[in-house]
């Protein structure tokens, strides 16, 4: 199929794409202003309550929160921009003229689909480059209740690792790789059935071969109550430094590549990654929802001349779009619970509503 068959008129394609983009970004700007104003009203009290904070900190919060709001509201703006574009074209009988000229419903829709693909690419770049940094900074700032953000030295505290049936608790982990140092090590020696056999404690530990040398150690036998002291001992054979130094991963605060690398590290360390894999796929599927919106909103474009129910069709288009967002959130929640595979949780709503949109389009027009 040639481009001339998809876009019979270059002028019409540019006209429709321009109308769609102007309305989409105008709606995006208006919604962001409203939501940001409401958000700052609810948070300004907490920001100004921190000692030393003033107007500068309020504006800093706005700069960190605005990217999150833009990323959240962009697909809604594409949906509303589509409906408003077709609403205007219907009122001016432009869709009727295009249909009378021999254009199919898909040809009328094609310029908006191409324009929305450009919006999807822009959305992915924005979500990958700007949103994670703002999210990570804002999350760290909120953890200290909008006070001074402490410098992350990379040290980890209160780390728990499972070694077969045994559990290892470390109060403080410093360093990386072979230079990792442990402080306050406690080993819970358990039998196969999970019953506690002994507790081993040591003030410090370091990497030694494929295990960890801790000392001076004390071993308390639960059954006999016997307490034994020893200068050092090896525990946690097979426990890697990464299992102790990897912190909890915030998917929203990492780029696509950063999250992918974190998943690889966690997988090598033997930690579960299904939830993060779903978030990784969703970083691709979420921008693609912008391409789906014109198809769902297309119900507002066709059949108006026969039915005369322009407002009803616009409402149906909005209902389909908002139903997609509900289904997308539900699917990701099911993926977090392990009910759906990560790939299915991220992409199933898009596939489902693509089929629904095509079915509605063929049913009404094709």
């Amino acid at each position: 199929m040639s481009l001339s068959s998809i876009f019979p008129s270059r002028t019409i394609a540019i006209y429709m794409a321009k109308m769609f983009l102007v309305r989409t970004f105008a709606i995006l700007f208006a919604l962001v202003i409203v939501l940001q104003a409401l958000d700052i009203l609810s948070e300004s009290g907490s920001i100004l309550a921190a000692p030393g904070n003033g107007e500068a900190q309020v504006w800093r919060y706005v700069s960190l929160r605005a990217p999150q709001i833009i990323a959240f509201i962009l697909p809604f703006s594409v949906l509303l921009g589509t409906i408003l574009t077709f609403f205007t074209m219907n009122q001016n009988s432009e869709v009727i003229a295009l249909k009378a000229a021999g254009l199919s419903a898909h040809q009328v829709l094609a310029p908006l689909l191409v324009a929305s693909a450009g919006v999807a690419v822009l959305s992915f770049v924005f979500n990958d480059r700007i949103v994670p940094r703002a999210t990570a900074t804002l999350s760290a700032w909120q953890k200290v209740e909008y006070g001074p953000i402490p410098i992350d030295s990379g040290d980890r505290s209160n780390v728990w690792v499972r070694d077969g049936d045994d559990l290892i608790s470390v109060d403080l982990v410093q360093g990386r790789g072979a230079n990792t140092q442990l402080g306050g090590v406690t080993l819970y020696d358990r039998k196969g059935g999970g019953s506690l056999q002994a507790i081993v404690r040591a003030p410090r530990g370091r990497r030694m071969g494929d295990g960890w040398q801790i000392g001076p150690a004390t071993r308390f036998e639960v059954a006999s109550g016997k307490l034994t002291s020893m200068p050092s001992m090896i525990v946690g054979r097979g426990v890697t430094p990464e299992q102790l130094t990897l912190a909890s991963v915030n998917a929203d605060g990492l780029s696509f590549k950063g999250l992918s690398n974190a998943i690889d590290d966690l997988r090598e360390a033997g930690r579960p990654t299904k939830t993060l894999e779903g978030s990784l796929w969703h970083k691709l599927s979420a921008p693609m929802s912008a391409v789906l919106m014109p198809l769902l909103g297309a119900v507002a474009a066709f059949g108006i001349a026969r039915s005369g129910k322009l407002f009803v069709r616009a409402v149906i288009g909005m209902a389909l779009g908002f139903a997609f967002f509900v289904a997308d959130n539900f699917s990701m929640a099911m993926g977090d619970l392990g009910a759906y595979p990560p790939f299915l949780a991220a992409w199933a709503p898009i596939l489902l509503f693509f089929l629904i949109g095509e079915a509605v389009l063929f049913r009404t027009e094709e």
Side-chain angles (χ1 to χ4, degrees):
M1 182 180 293
S2 64
L3 289 177
S4 60
S5 63
I6 300 176
F7 304 113
S9 172
R10 180 173 178 269
T11 302
I12 293 176
I14 294 176
Y15 166 73
M16 292 181 62
K18 181 179 178 181
M19 184 187 302
F20 163 72
L21 291 175
V22 168
R23 282 160 174 74
T24 295
F25 286 104
I27 292 172
L28 175 65
F29 178 78
L31 291 178
V32 168
I33 291 296
V34 172
L35 293 178
Q36 182 69 82
L38 295 175
D39 183 68
I40 197 64
L41 285 175
S42 65
E43 287 292 324
S44 59
S46 300
I47 297 171
L48 297 176
N53 283 358
E55 182 180 351
Q57 282 68 37
V58 173
W59 283 110
R60 183 191 183 193
Y61 175 83
V62 170
S63 68
L64 295 175
R65 188 73 174 96
Q68 295 179 338
I69 296 177
I70 293 173
F72 171 74
I73 210 68
L74 181 58
F76 294 92
S77 302
V78 175
L79 173 65
L80 296 176
T82 300
I83 294 174
L84 185 59
T85 298
F86 284 137
F87 195 95
T88 303
M89 293 181 67
N90 266 285
Q91 285 186 323
N92 298 331
S93 301
E94 292 171 314
V95 174
I96 297 174
L98 294 175
K99 295 284 287 183
L103 272 68
S104 68
H106 284 88
Q107 287 176 314
V108 173
L109 194 59
L112 270 66
L113 291 174
V114 174
S116 64
V119 174
V121 173
L122 180 64
S123 175
F124 174 79
V125 174
F126 181 79
N127 292 349
D128 195 58
R129 303 295 297 176
I130 298 176
V131 176
R133 297 176 183 177
T135 300
T137 303
L138 181 58
S139 178
W141 196 22
Q142 289 176 331
K143 286 181 179 179
V144 294
E145 298 181 348
Y146 301 109
I149 301 177
I151 298 175
D152 186 2
S153 63
D155 298 344
R156 304 301 170 201
S157 60
N158 193 28
V159 178
W160 287 80
V161 176
R162 183 168 182 172
D163 178 28
D165 294 322
D166 300 339
L167 293 176
I168 300 176
S169 170
V170 183
D171 294 339
L172 181 64
V173 182
Q174 297 177 308
R176 298 291 185 195
N179 297 322
T180 303
Q181 301 290 324
L182 310 182
V185 183
T186 304
L187 168 68
Y188 297 91
D189 187 0
R190 304 192 304 175
K191 294 182 179 179
S195 59
L196 186 61
Q197 184 176 5
I199 300 176
V200 180
R201 287 190 171 91
R204 55 186 175 272
R206 63 185 181 90
R207 187 69 171 166
M208 180 66 69
D210 63 345
W212 299 88
Q213 184 182 53
I214 61 174
T218 58
R219 178 183 177 89
F220 174 75
E221 301 288 344
V222 174
S224 62
K226 182 180 178 182
L227 185 64
T228 306
S229 299
M230 55 194 75
S232 66
M233 63 180 297
I234 302 296
V235 299
R237 295 189 181 276
V239 175
T240 64
E242 288 76 16
Q243 288 179 270
L244 295 168
T245 56
L246 282 175
S248 59
V249 176
N250 178 16
D252 294 333
L254 293 174
S255 65
F256 182 85
K257 183 179 180 180
L259 181 57
S260 178
N261 293 336
I263 290 174
D264 292 339
D265 292 340
L266 290 171
R267 189 181 291 116
E268 291 179 3
R271 296 193 186 181
T273 60
K274 293 297 182 183
T275 299
L276 294 176
E277 288 175 27
S279 299
L280 181 68
W281 283 115
H282 197 252
K283 285 182 178 290
L284 294 177
S285 65
M288 285 299 296
S289 64
V291 183
L292 183 65
M293 293 302 106
L295 182 62
L296 298 181
V299 69
F302 307 109
I304 305 303
R306 297 192 297 270
S307 65
K309 298 178 180 178
L310 179 59
F311 179 75
V312 173
R313 284 181 169 268
V315 170
I316 293 174
M318 285 189 289
L320 286 174
F322 284 104
F324 164 76
F325 294 114
V326 173
D328 184 57
N329 289 330
F330 175 80
S331 182
M332 290 303 299
M334 291 296 100
D336 292 342
L337 294 174
Y340 291 173
F343 182 85
L344 183 64
W347 289 102
I350 288 184
L351 177 60
L352 174 62
F353 278 83
F354 170 78
L355 296 176
I356 291 175
E358 284 290 337
V360 171
L361 197 60
F362 273 103
R363 180 77 175 177
T364 57
E365 291 303 315
E366 300 287 18

